[in-house]
Amino acid sequence: PSGIVLKNLLNSFHGRIYPVNPRYKELNGIPCYPSVANIPDNVSLSVFITPPAIIPALLREHAAKGIHHVIIATAGFGETAGGDENEKEISDIARLSYIRIIGPNCLGVFHPSVGLDTFFLPYDRVPRPQQGNISLISQSGSILGATMILIRQEGLGVAKAVSYGNRVDVGVPELLEYLRADKDTDVIGLCIESVGDGSGFIRAAQGCRKPVVVLKLGQQPAGKRAARSHTGSMAGRYEVFQAAFRRSGVYEAR
């Protein structure tokens, strides 16, 4: 997966890219560094695709380097037996170090206008849509990938897409607030299993002047169990979500 991300970024990203892996001095024709501490420049964003056990140490290295934005694609946290403690540890480190996290257990960000594509999905399996006016927020990476294929088949385009996974930090309210101010976004699609901050979600949705369409996963008992094993989410009572959707003025897709 990390090789796919690197190739995708080299194919599309407009900025500088720094592979980090202590086993290599070069990857795909560009210098590779043993640690973020060895990178000579400032770094805006890191993508982690590493074993879960080393992520706390990596976050501490990032804090020392002054890197404050991280996407953790790695799974093996709150969605697994015993993973809750690992998830709490990375959350505590991030909070104390002022590091913002998307993930863990996610695809990250697709932002075509700047060529940022952190999805570990090869183009031949998941062809990317053209740039457009639809933005997507999805807790499920697989549903987001399938949606992007369908959008491409329909001849439509994507402004931004975010797969946020276990939501240890950044969640739907913040992403909605970002997209409602985004000049490239005209309509927002959500795919959620749970919402950690219900009142924050309602406030963000009510303040959005753009159409918001939501698909709620985990409506039935089997779906709730799947959500728990998928992103560690407690899917909650569907009736409560329906009431929140009505109050927020969002459109629910069935």
Side-chain angles (χ1 to χ4, degrees), residues 153-175:
Q153 289 174 349
E154 293 290 332
L156 302 172
V158 167
K160 276 88 177 176
V162 181
S163 155
Y164 65 93
N166 290 18
R167 197 192 58 237
V168 74
D169 179 20
V170 175
V172 172
E174 286 174 292
L175 295 170

Side-chain angles (χ1 to χ4, degrees), residues 85-114:
E85 290 185 9
N86 293 340
E87 198 161 285
K88 184 179 184 304
E89 182 179 13
I90 65 171
S91 176
D92 291 343
I93 294 170
R95 187 179 67 255
L96 293 172
S97 305
Y98 303 101
I99 294 174
R100 304 309 309 271
I101 295 175
I102 290 177
N105 186 25
C106 72
L107 295 176
V109 175
F110 175 67
H111 185 338
S113 67
V114 298

Side-chain angles (χ1 to χ4, degrees), residues 8-236:
N8 290 349
L9 287 171
L10 288 170
N11 183 62
S12 65
F13 186 54
H14 304 168
R16 289 169 292 179
I17 301 166
Y18 306 94
V20 176
N21 189 315
R23 291 182 294 172
Y24 303 98
K25 295 191 175 183
E26 183 180 288
L27 282 172
N28 287 79
I30 60 175
C32 184
Y33 298 88
S35 162
V36 293
N38 301 107
I39 297 173
D41 303 312
N42 295 326
V43 176
S44 302
L45 173 69
S46 275
V47 182
F48 288 9
I49 306 184
T50 61
I54 69 171
I55 286 180
L58 292 178
L59 285 174
R60 293 185 179 98
E61 287 183 0
H62 278 61
K65 176 70 174 174
I67 304 171
H68 295 287
H69 302 91
V70 169
I71 294 169
I72 302 178
T74 305
F77 290 92
E79 80 283 4
T80 61
D84 288 341
E85 290 185 9
N86 293 340
E87 198 161 285
K88 184 179 184 304
E89 182 179 13
I90 65 171
S91 176
D92 291 343
I93 294 170
R95 187 179 67 255
L96 293 172
S97 305
Y98 303 101
I99 294 174
R100 304 309 309 271
I101 295 175
I102 290 177
N105 186 25
C106 72
L107 295 176
V109 175
F110 175 67
H111 185 338
S113 67
V114 298
L116 180 63
D117 183 351
T118 72
F119 291 9
F120 53 84
L121 305 172
Y123 290 171
D124 59 340
R125 298 288 183 89
V126 181
R128 306 308 196 251
Q130 64 186 345
Q131 187 174 339
N133 65 344
I134 301 170
S135 284
L136 305 169
I137 302 170
S138 179
Q139 201 156 9
S140 166
S142 57
I143 288 182
L144 179 57
T147 302
M148 291 177 67
I149 292 172
L150 293 170
I151 286 175
R152 180 184 170 96
Q153 289 174 349
E154 293 290 332
L156 302 172
V158 167
K160 276 88 177 176
V162 181
S163 155
Y164 65 93
N166 290 18
R167 197 192 58 237
V168 74
D169 179 20
V170 175
V172 172
E174 286 174 292
L175 295 170
L176 268 179
E177 289 174 4
Y178 172 84
L179 291 175
R180 76 185 190 190
D182 177 45
K183 61 181 178 59
D184 297 324
T185 299
D186 292 328
V187 61
I188 301 167
L190 300 178
C191 176
I192 60 175
E193 294 172 3
S194 68
V195 175
D197 179 3
S199 59
F201 169 79
I202 290 173
R203 285 194 303 271
Q206 286 178 331
C208 187
R209 299 290 180 260
K210 302 170 183 179
V212 179
V213 181
V214 61
L215 176 66
K216 171 66 176 73
L217 306 183
Q219 297 179 16
Q220 303 299 324
K224 292 178 182 179
R225 291 192 296 272
R228 178 63 184 167
S229 65
H230 179 225
T231 62
S233 297
M234 299 302 291

